[in-house]
Amino acid sequence: MDLNEIELDLLREDQIIGNNRLEIFDKIGTKAAITDYAIALGGLVASNFFTKGGENRLECRTGYYWTKTCDGYNDARVVY
């Protein structure tokens, strides 16, 4: 697999939160559990946020993820 040929579509912030969010986020929420692999690659673990219905356990902790939306400072907005 050539990594230069991989296409990745990121969602815009308004597709995740707000009045125009995708219906799936009404069902599962916006929290995403972070994997050990993502942590090893430098992913930031949110120590006080947990997946929907998750308990205060390491495997239920969430991480930040990127959106396609610019934050106004030439950086991507993140969701946690």
Side-chain angles (χ1 to χ4, degrees):
M1 174 189 317
D2 184 357
L3 296 179
N4 293 321
E5 295 181 15
I6 294 176
E7 290 187 30
L8 178 65
D9 288 323
L10 299 176
L11 296 175
R12 295 182 318 269
E13 183 180 33
D14 68 315
Q15 293 175 302
I16 302 168
I17 57 176
N19 294 334
N20 296 322
R21 70 182 167 271
L22 298 175
E23 196 174 309
I24 188 73
F25 292 109
D26 292 333
K27 296 176 183 175
I28 65 169
T30 59
K31 306 283 187 251
I34 190 166
T35 64
D36 291 341
Y37 183 68
I39 293 169
L41 291 174
L44 180 61
V45 178
S47 62
N48 54 342
F49 293 104
F50 303 92
T51 56
K52 187 174 183 178
E55 301 173 13
N56 187 355
R57 297 185 322 214
L58 185 58
E59 62 268 17
C60 296
R61 289 200 176 156
T62 61
Y64 294 79
Y65 56 95
W66 300 104
T67 71
K68 187 184 281 189
T69 304
C70 178
D71 70 353
Y73 299 99
N74 292 325
D75 293 317
R77 283 227 187 245
V78 296
V79 176
Y80 57 88

